[in-house]
Structure formats: structure tokens, C-alpha cells
Amino acid sequence: MNTDPAAAPPAPSFPYRLVATDLDGTLLRDDHTVSARTRDALAAATAAGAVHIVVTGRGVLWTRHILDDLGYDGIAVCGQGAQVYHAGERRLLTSVTLDRQLAALAVAKIEAEVGPLALAVSRDGLDGEVLVTSDYRLLEKQLPTVAVREPAELWSAPLNKVYIQHPELGDDELAEAARATVGSLVNVVMAGAGVVEILPLGLSKATGLSLAARRLGVKAADTIAFGDMPNDIPMFGWARHGVAMANAHEELRAVADEVTASNEDDGIAVVLEKLLAR
């Protein structure tokens, strides 16, 4: 897949220079693969001069194998905007960390309101491990993690974010309660089923995407973005045009410029094919 930032300006028939796609629930089907139709549509868009950029909540460690499968060698935004990663060169261009003392304080304040939480943390760095407590439920079982015996181990090295789960509260309820309790200290986002995250205050996918776009020489006005969860809302606010998948969370659908087919039904390809056919 051509992700060369030096690509020629797009043909007049294609109105965007940057195609930003979330991964889970958006570019990836539910079996974590990308369909041939979507691959072809993205290839056609890049052939028309646009750059495809992956913008995901996954850290680099959990993203790299997907990018390799796509043949993706350009810049990707990982870790909810914390990491700007050059896939071709396999190096981090930028990385933002979450203050560990502040993160531990935020967790303690949330637990004081809703009770004990299951926790995981994503460590900083190119090969930053994900540490999990014994009660944390990992939906994608094959992803690499490191189990910890004592919660104190979670805070022993620099990290990008904290994952929180509650034994009874749903994801939206937990995110709302956490935001009401510690929203002045940290960012709290709901990024998918079982995935509520604590991030550095002010950090979002829009932060990382704007940094990556600057490196690519493109602007928000040149960008179409695809997503499915509330953590994609800042990205939609930054891009010229935001497209929600049919399977998207209602909060994202409410702010989208357009709703396409689901990730299972090649929603990205549906939109790109129409744009390319103009």
C-alpha cells in the first residue's frame, strides 16, 4: 500500500489528500482482517494521490502486525494519539506519556466513587508492553500482555495510558462516572467494548493526527476520516469530513457528516469508490 507522503497531489476527481481510518470496527472486519475490496479502494485512493493514515487507539505493539499485513510503510497514529509511528522505518517519531502519579491518583478517585476496578497499562516506547491485572478481561486473546501480581507494578515504568474496567458498570456508564470524577485531571475515553481509557489531559486522536498531517504536508481541510467509537469524535472535529460506520456508537453517529455501511460490509470502500467515480 502506497503511503509515501511525497506522493503527487490527488487527481481532480478525488477531493482529499489524506484518508484517516480507525482500525477496530472500521478498517478491520470483526475477524481482524481487511477485505480485498477495502484494500483495493484504499490503493485506488493512494494512486489518485491521497495518503492513507491509520489512526488507532492501539499502541504500536498491538498495531505493528496489522500494518505489516497491509504492507503499510508510512506514518501511523497509535495509542489514542500518544504515538506517531513510522512503520517503514519502525521508529517512533513522537511519544506522549501519562504522569504515573496522576494516573494512580485518578484511578484511586474513580475507585472511591464506583468501587474496585480491573486495570491494565500500556507502557511507553516502541515495544511498550501492556501490563494487566488478573481480573482484566482482554477481548482479543492473542494480543501480547504481561500479567502482574501486585498493582504497584503497573506504575513502575513510563506509560501512555491506563485501561479500566468495572465488574458491573457498562462501558458508557464507567466512562461517564470516570469523566465526572477526574475529567479535570485526565482525559477519559470509551474506545470499544470493554475499553475505557485514561489518557493525558488534552490528548486525543486529533492531537496525533494533526502532528502526523503536518509531517505529511497536509491540512485538516484535506482530510476525510472514518471511525466507529466516541474516541473518534475529536478526529471528526479536526477533519473536513467525518464518516461513521453503520456499526458506530450513537455518540459518533450524532456528530458525523455521513454514515456509511458497517465494517463488515466494506463501509470505507463504499465511500471511497463513490468519491473516485466522480
Side-chain angles (χ1 to χ4, degrees), residues 62-82:
W62 283 3
T63 306
R64 190 183 296 131
H65 67 286
I66 299 170
L67 301 181
D68 289 345
D69 179 64
L70 288 170
Y72 186 106
D73 59 5
I75 295 174
V77 176
C78 302
Q80 239 41 288

Side-chain angles (χ1 to χ4, degrees), residues 23-270:
L23 279 182
D24 297 282
T26 303
L27 180 62
L28 299 181
R29 294 180 291 191
D30 293 344
D31 64 357
H32 305 294
T33 65
V34 181
S35 73
R37 180 183 177 187
T38 295
R39 288 172 185 260
D40 289 345
L42 286 167
T46 57
V51 177
H52 171 221
I53 185 167
V54 165
V55 185
T56 178
R58 295 173 181 245
V60 171
L61 181 67
W62 283 3
T63 306
R64 190 183 296 131
H65 67 286
I66 299 170
L67 301 181
D68 289 345
D69 179 64
L70 288 170
Y72 186 106
D73 59 5
I75 295 174
V77 176
C78 302
Q80 239 41 288
Q83 299 172 313
V84 178
Y85 169 65
H86 197 299
E89 299 176 1
R90 291 185 174 270
R91 66 185 180 97
L92 281 175
L93 303 179
T94 64
S95 185
V96 178
T97 57
L98 173 63
D99 183 277
R100 286 172 277 168
Q101 290 185 329
L102 187 62
L105 175 63
V107 168
K109 284 180 173 290
I110 297 167
E111 289 187 321
E113 290 295 320
V114 303
L117 300 170
L119 302 172
V121 301
S122 180
R123 284 184 166 173
D124 185 39
L126 192 62
D127 298 307
E129 299 170 317
V130 177
L131 278 59
V132 300
T133 57
S134 60
D135 51 352
Y136 189 86
R137 307 180 307 278
L138 193 68
L139 299 183
E140 200 174 335
K141 301 295 185 182
Q142 69 271 28
L143 291 174
T145 60
V146 176
V148 298
R149 293 183 178 180
E150 299 295 334
E153 295 178 55
L154 298 173
W155 319 114
S156 62
L159 52 91
N160 297 118
K161 61 179 173 180
V162 178
Y163 299 89
I164 61 175
Q165 292 176 344
H166 191 275
E168 298 174 359
L169 294 178
D171 300 322
D172 290 320
E173 291 177 287
L174 177 58
E176 183 178 353
R179 202 173 290 120
T181 304
V182 297
S184 62
L185 301 176
V186 292
N187 267 13
V188 179
V189 298
M190 201 284 270
V195 186
V196 178
E197 301 178 4
I198 294 172
L199 307 169
L201 192 64
L203 180 72
S204 72
K205 284 189 174 184
T207 313
L209 180 56
S210 64
L211 289 173
R214 192 176 308 149
R215 287 178 175 270
L216 296 170
V218 296
K219 300 177 181 179
D222 302 321
T223 304
I224 183 171
F226 295 83
D228 74 311
M229 281 292 160
N231 62 318
D232 293 314
I233 291 174
M235 180 168 70
F236 278 24
W238 182 85
R240 173 178 159 192
H241 193 77
V243 183
M245 314 305 286
N247 51 288
H249 192 284
E250 59 183 13
E251 289 183 17
L252 187 68
R253 290 169 63 100
V255 301
D257 298 299
E258 179 181 355
V259 177
T260 185
S262 73
N263 62 320
E264 286 290 285
D265 295 319
D266 300 304
I268 292 174
V270 169

